[in-house]
Amino acid sequence: MTRKLQADVVVVGGGPAGINAAIAAGRQGASTILIERYGFLGGMSTAASVYPWMTFHTESGQQVIKGIAQEIIDRLIERGGSPGHLRDTIGFVHTVTPYHPEIYKLLAIDMLKEAGVKLLLHSFVDGVQVENKVIQSVQLSGKSGPIQVSGRMFVDTSGDADMAYLSGAPTQTGREGDKRTQPMTMKFRMRGVDLEAIRQEMINNPTNFYHKTPFHELNELPLTGIQGFYSQWNAAKLPINRDQVLLFAGPEPDEILVNCTRVQGLDGTDIEDLTLAEEEGLRQVMMMAEFLQKSVPGFSQASISSVAAQIGVRETRRIDGLYRLSMDDVVTGRRFGDVIARSGYPIDIHDPSGKGVTEALVRGDGAYDIPYRCLVPQQVHNLLVAGRCLSTTHEALATTRLTPSCMATGQAAGTAAALASAAGTTAAEVDVAQLQKVLLHNGVVLT
């Protein structure tokens, strides 16, 4: 027998975008249900060990992402779950934000409860009922049998545009032409790392590290990130298609998050490809750990302390919405009248087939606008999206996919869904001026 539930706003996907969307909707007074396939929240931040969060700021240090996202940081600090925003010692962005994933998981639950959100974990959306371009309900599968969840408005924060795809909304995948996506990465942590030995290696051999590393400040700054060890990497000749070592410190004093594996040419929405990716990612983890222990200063006494529960997915499906954010929009810092979020993260494309990373900074004041139209799919009237699957080109996705940006678009989508539900309008008919007013009132930066 199918269990039936109902809410004003139904959010699918409990990652950073979905958490913020559900909190925002609940705080607006909408009855809200958040659906998550794992037994815990956090999405890529917890299931795939994406760490640290980057970035809430522009290159010059202006904070452009606040609202619920900043409230989460403040409350993590209170619980000892984050030191807050720290300077990026790689030099790629102005700040990174370390966080403790387990503390984040519980904080998210507490904030959702405070907002009156009903949480359904261990629940996988495998069907969407649509009538006359309006979603009536989503079908969940799980250990307790089928559940049907009806709603007035729906928010897809699945990362893979699962609900949008199942509802018939147009989607895009990968880059134009060959449809190849950015590679997947299996991340892992090592304990017993001597971070001071790494710091000294960076100071003593600056040409062996990323050229924007703030070497003149390394003695004063907490070590947050390391990119380089070019000579060791080139000498090792590992069968991993990348050109450098990328490491992030913390959250514990002797701990490093390793972001070095690279699995290319597989589709993150195909279970057979995902199976292959998980295997290949784990094999690369073992290779990387051995390489670090044998060849990189500071790792001789280190060992693997955890491996992500799943491989990290940078890119799969995204909606083809009312507007598609482009690389030119990002790098020129374009402003939009229907702005609902801003970001200062640069273009950061991990090559779908090669070794490198394509970088492009945001010009002007260092931030670009994300318009509301990027959250609105075509052909489905009561659906919004946020996070990794909003409407962009392949190139622009390389910035909007980052966690703080996902948090910001999540808050906007959840707020808009609550407003649409209360007014009885479609997603496209939401009063953007009213939405912006509410977002500004709740601490979101729009200018």
Side-chain angles (χ1 to χ4, degrees), residues 239-275:
I240 300 175
N241 201 24
R242 62 179 299 126
D243 57 4
Q244 31 75 12
V245 175
L246 181 59
L247 311 169
F248 293 98
E252 300 301 329
D254 67 338
E255 190 169 24
I256 283 286
L257 186 284
V258 184
N259 181 351
C260 291
T261 69
R262 180 172 276 193
V263 178
Q264 295 168 312
L266 298 174
D267 181 356
T269 62
D270 182 284
I271 59 170
E272 292 188 3
D273 275 11
L274 273 173
T275 300

Side-chain angles (χ1 to χ4, degrees), residues 225-427:
I226 306 100
Q227 181 171 318
F229 289 113
Y230 301 124
S231 61
Q232 292 92 336
W233 181 256
N234 292 333
K237 299 187 185 304
L238 294 180
I240 300 175
N241 201 24
R242 62 179 299 126
D243 57 4
Q244 31 75 12
V245 175
L246 181 59
L247 311 169
F248 293 98
E252 300 301 329
D254 67 338
E255 190 169 24
I256 283 286
L257 186 284
V258 184
N259 181 351
C260 291
T261 69
R262 180 172 276 193
V263 178
Q264 295 168 312
L266 298 174
D267 181 356
T269 62
D270 182 284
I271 59 170
E272 292 188 3
D273 275 11
L274 273 173
T275 300
L276 292 172
E278 298 285 359
E279 176 189 346
E280 175 59 22
L282 191 54
R283 292 187 189 280
Q284 290 187 20
V285 164
M286 299 307 168
M287 280 191 285
M288 278 302 311
E290 184 178 6
F291 157 73
L292 292 168
Q293 291 162 337
K294 290 183 176 179
S295 303
V296 175
F299 282 86
S300 62
Q301 302 301 311
S303 61
I304 294 174
S305 55
S306 68
V307 179
Q310 74 148 83
I311 196 163
V313 180
R314 291 184 176 88
E315 179 181 14
T316 52
R317 289 184 296 250
R318 59 190 185 276
I319 66 161
D320 189 3
L322 299 185
Y323 184 81
R324 192 184 302 176
L325 193 74
S326 71
M327 181 172 180
D328 186 64
D329 293 334
V330 172
V331 299
T332 60
R334 186 172 176 188
R335 306 305 304 269
F336 293 92
D338 60 339
V339 55
I340 46 77
R342 305 200 78 206
S343 176
Y345 193 84
I347 297 287
D348 175 26
I349 307 173
H350 293 247
D351 198 300
S353 53
K355 288 187 175 183
V357 174
T358 299
E359 303 172 6
L361 296 177
V362 183
R363 300 195 292 268
D365 66 0
Y368 65 90
D369 287 358
I370 301 174
Y372 176 68
R373 287 164 292 162
C374 290
L375 279 56
V376 184
Q378 300 182 53
Q379 300 182 20
V380 181
H381 297 320
N382 63 334
L383 176 64
L384 287 154
V385 306
R388 201 177 73 224
C389 52
L390 54 78
S391 182
T392 71
T393 63
H394 165 74
E395 294 80 12
L397 181 70
T399 166
T400 59
R401 66 180 175 83
L402 273 293
T403 306
S405 300
C406 291
M407 290 177 169
T409 58
Q411 181 171 356
T415 303
L419 293 176
S421 174
T425 66
T426 67

